[in-house]
Amino acid sequence: MSTRTFGILTSGGDCPGLNAAIRGVCRAAYDRYHMNILGIANGYRGLIDGNVRPLDPEDFSGILTQGGTILGTSREKPFKASEIGEDKVKAIKENYKKYKLDCLVVLGGNGTHTTGYLLSKEGLNILGLPKTIDNDIVGTDRSFGFHSAMNICTDAIDRLHSIAASHNRVMVMETMGHKAGWLALYSGIAGGGDVIIVPEIPYDIKAVANHLNERAKTGKSFSIVVVAEGAMSVEEAKMEKKDRKKRWAEEGLPSVAYRVAREIEKETGMETRATVLGHVQRGGIPSASDRVLATSLGTAAAALLASGEYGKMISQTAGGFGKVDLSVPAGKTKFIPLDDPLLDTAAAVGTCLGV
Ligand code: F6P
């Protein structure tokens, strides 16, 4: 049965392309299929609280290029036990019914899709759209937000390049990516990083130092190191999480870029600086590529709404736009496979991968 009324929310960290995707879903759903649309504020939190409003064409007009999300977002995880005893899942189910939703469209990353999957098991009709700058969602080749963030990181590496060259320094730049290092890998290759360190490959500081020393011997007096925020050394990777956290707290440095920079200075004697891009990577206008991707995923979601096909995440694969069951991304992370051709590409142009 075709959808008459659906709710739409954005959840998890924001990123460029969310508004383009909202527009893609809503325009097609409204213009082509004449559906009623309810905008839910601040992710799943809005559905718990009943913070819901009708969306009219003027709400989703003129937002294609805007960063952030007109709906607001939060990291609310309704299936996590509530500290104040609130039954969030019950509230969501009640409001879903109260607002007569035929489907809930959720735009988000791994956490959002895991929640969406669990809600579908509770009997709700759910459709998901993959967004995250981390590009770590299983079931889709790309998530929107990634391309824009990669451009921002690459631009930053280009800028750090001239500083590194002028000062004869090593510049260590940290990208986002707690579990998966896609952003560091892609921007590291695009920016010509001399060393790229990702969470999937624990680094050996001796190997990094050796690479920088060898470079120096060939007359290159500066280097760029790109590191993902979740990267750790071989030794740290072997430790229990709590012991690792304790060790980092004792070291008193804000993040991995600072730890790597200090280790490089110690091992090589080279002057080294750390730069952490942080949330800059998630801000501002989406790239043209992300606008096209978000719009395409959004309109594909509207077509599924029209055909009443639920319990799916819209995906992009080599063959175009398709869909996977929500169980595919739920509870998983798409890591860089150790045989990923891009790792070999990096190695082939002389980039050290930390080992
Ligand atoms: O959205 C995912 C992500 O970009 C991670 O790479 C990063 O660790 C996290 O968001 C930061 O989130 P927050 O905005 O909650 O600090």
Side-chain angles (χ1 to χ4, degrees):
M1 208 186 74
S2 174
T3 306
R4 286 215 324 273
T5 303
F6 71 93
I8 182 165
L9 61 81
T10 54
S11 168
D14 74 329
C15 75
L18 275 168
N19 285 327
I22 293 169
R23 171 179 172 271
V25 179
C26 296
R27 271 225 117 100
Y30 189 90
D31 294 348
R32 279 195 168 169
Y33 308 114
H34 317 296
M35 293 173 194
N36 304 314
I37 309 167
L38 295 179
I40 297 158
N42 307 326
Y44 290 107
R45 189 68 238 173
L47 201 50
I48 297 166
D49 296 338
N51 194 349
V52 173
R53 67 185 163 101
L55 290 187
D56 297 319
E58 53 271 25
D59 292 307
F60 43 85
S61 173
I63 63 170
L64 171 65
T65 62
Q66 275 176 28
T69 159
I70 57 159
L71 295 173
T73 187
S74 71
R75 291 205 182 270
E76 179 63 70
K77 290 191 172 71
F79 285 89
K80 223 174 142 191
S82 158
E83 278 163 20
I84 53 165
E86 191 182 24
D87 192 337
K88 298 175 187 175
V89 176
K90 187 165 168 250
I92 285 179
K93 285 164 79 175
E94 280 170 5
N95 278 327
Y96 182 94
K97 230 174 160 183
K98 176 175 157 193
Y99 290 102
K100 298 188 169 47
L101 301 183
D102 299 311
C103 182
L104 176 65
V105 178
V106 301
L107 281 58
N110 290 325
T112 304
H113 283 91
T114 302
T115 300
Y117 172 64
L118 295 173
L119 287 174
S120 72
K121 305 256 290 177
E122 294 282 329
L124 271 55
N125 293 327
I126 307 286
L127 283 179
L129 270 85
K131 73 84 225 191
T132 167
I133 67 162
D134 296 339
N135 200 34
D136 61 352
I137 304 177
V138 172
T140 187
D141 286 354
R142 241 182 69 199
S143 53
F144 60 85
F146 175 67
H147 187 265
S148 309
M150 179 181 65
N151 282 352
I152 295 167
C153 292
T154 305
D155 178 63
I157 296 171
D158 292 347
R159 289 169 193 279
L160 291 175
H161 224 113
S162 60
I163 299 166
S166 305
H167 285 264
N168 301 312
R169 277 177 184 160
V170 178
M171 298 299 288
V172 180
M173 192 192 85
E174 181 178 312
T175 69
M176 279 190 173
H178 253 302
K179 294 181 179 164
W182 295 105
L183 201 46
L185 180 60
Y186 271 80
S187 61
I189 291 174
D194 304 297
V195 180
I196 300 174
I197 304 177
V198 294
E200 292 86 344
I201 307 176
Y203 68 90
D204 173 359
I205 199 63
K206 299 270 185 220
V208 173
N210 185 44
H211 186 79
L212 299 179
N213 284 330
E214 288 302 315
R215 241 179 86 77
K217 277 189 208 154
T218 65
K220 305 277 185 179
S221 57
F222 69 91
S223 289
I224 302 284
V225 178
V226 182
V227 57
E229 69 176 324
M232 56 184 85
S233 69
V234 173
E235 196 193 341
E236 289 161 351
K238 287 184 190 146
M239 294 165 80
E240 293 282 330
K241 192 173 175 189
K242 63 171 187 351
D243 297 331
R244 200 163 51 223
K245 279 194 156 178
K246 191 164 162 254
R247 177 183 177 159
W248 290 341
E250 281 163 8
E251 281 177 1
L253 294 171
S255 68
V256 64
Y258 291 89
R259 291 196 294 275
V260 168
R262 188 158 80 178
E263 289 169 17
I264 288 173
E265 255 185 0
K266 199 169 138 231
E267 291 289 331
T268 64
M270 295 173 186
E271 190 177 46
T272 307
R273 294 286 190 275
T275 299
V276 179
L277 288 188
H279 291 85
V280 167
Q281 293 160 95
R282 296 218 312 251
I285 60 168
S287 67
S289 173
D290 270 337
R291 293 178 202 182
V292 175
L293 177 63
T295 304
S296 305
L297 292 168
T299 54
L304 285 195
L305 285 168
S307 60
E309 201 178 340
Y310 308 124
K312 310 284 178 199
M313 177 183 78
I314 322 299
S315 67
Q316 191 215 19
T317 57
F321 297 98
K323 69 219 164 187
V324 294
D325 198 85
L326 277 175
S327 61
V328 174
K332 301 188 199 87
T333 302
K334 185 177 74 182
F335 298 107
I336 304 171
L338 294 181
D339 60 353
D340 192 279
L342 260 196
L343 292 173
D344 188 55
T345 300
V349 292
T351 301
C352 168
L353 293 165
V355 283

